[in-house]
């Protein structure tokens, strides 16, 4: 049996052997998503079987809403979530039969792609975001100024997927700089965290909440009150969060609590409450 992987408006051929998914350009499906690891997962076609394996990624792989552990055999129609990107396993034969049976096309058929490698840039709003190997702080801030208002409107209209695509590149830039140990202005961090927390609430994807925790863990400070408020909203909506990351972050702040002022101590207490809320899920 031949298989395809449907992602956005593309169907990707899955030939015999391995098909890598991640942020690295060497992957067959390269995703510009801050929640995706460099080599996140492998799909392996073995005759009539398709096996997916999580390559010890930061945010894991979900199949039909459940996080997998080790190697898992997929069935046609399974929904795969890698970072914030959803894809579906399809049977090539079934897709072809459905097209042949149609009397006349009622709508445009999604483009079929058979390239060995594909680079997907998630922002697809028509607004072009330029990127350099190491964008300046001004460029990063300008990305949020350019896209923030549009993304806010999309969220207000319930178009979470559109907002997610708009913000993914700018958010990826911030988290990559954080992981590289570069200094980021606190205002830029707080802006990225605010949007990520809103995406967690709007999409129900715990990976966006994990993004916020990772940002502030690197900063070694509590988030501002507005970000914590949005995280409380998110915890009531998301399917899963990385409890180990959240607990480790809180414990890393604990030695500094005695030096905090009243406002920062209150923020820390709210983080402890957030951990209790997340543990109830």
């Amino acid at each position: 049996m031949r298989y395809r992987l449907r992602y956005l408006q593309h169907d990707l051929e899955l030939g015999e052997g391995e098909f890598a998914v991640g942020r690295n350009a060497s992957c067959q499906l390269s995703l510009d998503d801050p929640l995706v690891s460099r080599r996140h997962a492998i799909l392996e076609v073995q005759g009539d079987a398709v096996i997916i394996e999580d390559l010890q990624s930061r945010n894991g792989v979900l199949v039909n809403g459940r996080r997998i552990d080790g190697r898992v055999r997929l069935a046609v129609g399974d929904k795969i979530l890698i970072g914030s990107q959803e894809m579906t396993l399809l049977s090539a034969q079934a897709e072809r039969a459905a097209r042949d049976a149609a009397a006349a096309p009622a709508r445009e058929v999604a483009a079929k792609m058979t390239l060995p490698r594909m680079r997907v840039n998630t922002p697809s709003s028509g607004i072009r975001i330029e990127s350099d190997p190491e964008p300046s702080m001004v460029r990063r801030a300008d990305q949020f100024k350019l896209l923030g208002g549009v993304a806010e409107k999309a969220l207000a209209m319930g178009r979470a997927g559109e907002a997610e695509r708009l913000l993914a590149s700018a958010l990826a830039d911030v988290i990559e700089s954080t992981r590289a140990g570069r200094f980021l202005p606190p205002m830029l961090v707080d802006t990225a965290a605010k949007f990520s927390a809103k995406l967690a609430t709007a999409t129900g994807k715990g990976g966006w909440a994990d993004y916020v925790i990772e940002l502030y863990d690197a900063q070694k400070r509590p988030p501002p009150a507005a970000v914590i408020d949005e995280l409380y909203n998110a915890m009531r909506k998301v399917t899963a969060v990385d409890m180990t990351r959240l607990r480790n972050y809180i414990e890393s702040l604990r030695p500094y609590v005695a030096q905090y002022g009243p406002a920062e101590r209150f923020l820390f207490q709210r983080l402890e409450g957030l951990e209790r809320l997340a543990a109830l899920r």
Side-chain angles (χ1 to χ4, degrees):
M1 180 182 293
R2 296 181 62 189
Y3 295 96
R4 296 177 186 269
L5 189 67
R6 176 162 293 172
Y7 173 67
L8 298 179
Q9 292 182 328
H10 306 292
D11 284 359
L12 311 176
E13 296 281 359
L14 293 180
E16 191 80 15
E18 293 186 346
F19 184 93
V21 181
R23 286 199 335 275
N24 196 302
S26 65
C27 294
Q28 277 74 23
L29 178 54
S30 182
L31 302 173
D32 183 10
D33 185 324
L35 304 181
V36 175
S37 298
R38 292 187 181 279
R39 281 181 62 83
H40 197 110
I42 286 284
L43 286 88
E44 185 177 354
V45 179
Q46 303 174 345
D48 286 344
V50 180
I51 309 296
I52 189 168
E53 180 180 3
D54 179 11
L55 300 179
Q56 298 182 334
S57 63
R58 287 173 179 265
N59 296 306
V61 175
L62 276 67
V63 175
N64 298 327
R66 295 186 177 182
R67 186 163 180 164
I68 67 170
D69 183 16
R71 291 164 58 85
V72 172
R73 181 166 180 168
L74 296 173
V76 171
D78 279 350
K79 303 288 186 183
I80 305 159
L81 187 68
I82 294 179
S84 64
Q85 311 303 313
E86 186 176 84
M87 49 207 75
T88 306
L89 182 68
L90 302 174
S91 163
Q93 289 88 335
E95 287 294 296
R96 188 178 299 110
R99 290 195 304 271
D100 293 343
R107 56 187 173 85
E108 183 178 354
V109 180
K112 302 298 181 289
M113 299 190 68
T114 57
L115 298 176
R117 291 191 175 87
M118 172 184 171
R119 181 70 184 175
V120 178
N121 294 315
T122 49
S124 58
S125 63
I127 299 176
R128 184 171 179 269
I129 303 174
E130 296 183 6
S131 60
D132 299 322
E134 293 194 55
S136 67
M137 297 298 175
V138 174
R139 176 71 58 83
R140 293 173 186 140
D142 284 347
Q143 286 179 332
F144 284 114
K145 288 179 182 178
L146 176 67
L147 298 176
V150 182
E152 289 276 18
K153 290 178 182 178
L155 288 169
M157 296 175 68
R159 298 174 180 171
E162 180 181 340
E164 193 173 44
R165 290 190 294 274
L166 281 166
L167 295 168
S169 183
L171 291 172
D173 185 29
V174 171
I175 201 68
E176 282 299 314
S177 295
T178 297
R179 290 168 182 168
R182 302 189 187 100
F183 170 78
L184 293 176
M187 185 176 295
L188 179 60
V189 172
D190 293 343
T191 300
K194 178 191 72 173
F195 281 119
S196 186
K198 287 188 175 185
L199 287 176
T201 302
T203 65
K205 297 173 183 176
W208 287 118
D210 296 338
Y211 176 106
V212 178
I213 300 306
E214 184 177 351
L215 271 185
Y216 288 105
D217 189 22
Q219 301 290 312
K220 295 301 178 208
R221 65 179 174 97
V227 173
I228 294 181
D229 287 345
E230 193 59 52
L231 284 176
Y232 268 84
N233 292 333
M235 289 304 170
R236 297 180 175 91
K237 301 287 184 66
V238 299
T239 53
V241 293
D242 189 336
M243 289 300 301
T244 299
R245 176 177 290 168
L246 177 58
R247 287 170 178 151
N248 288 344
Y249 165 55
I250 292 173
E251 289 307 310
S252 73
L253 295 181
R254 199 175 298 281
Y256 305 103
V257 174
Q259 305 169 26
Y260 288 166
E264 288 181 308
R265 282 198 295 271
F266 178 68
L267 292 176
F268 181 78
Q269 291 169 0
R270 295 207 68 204
L271 281 175
E272 291 180 311
L274 184 71
E275 178 191 354
R276 291 191 292 272
L277 177 61
L280 294 176
R281 298 200 58 77

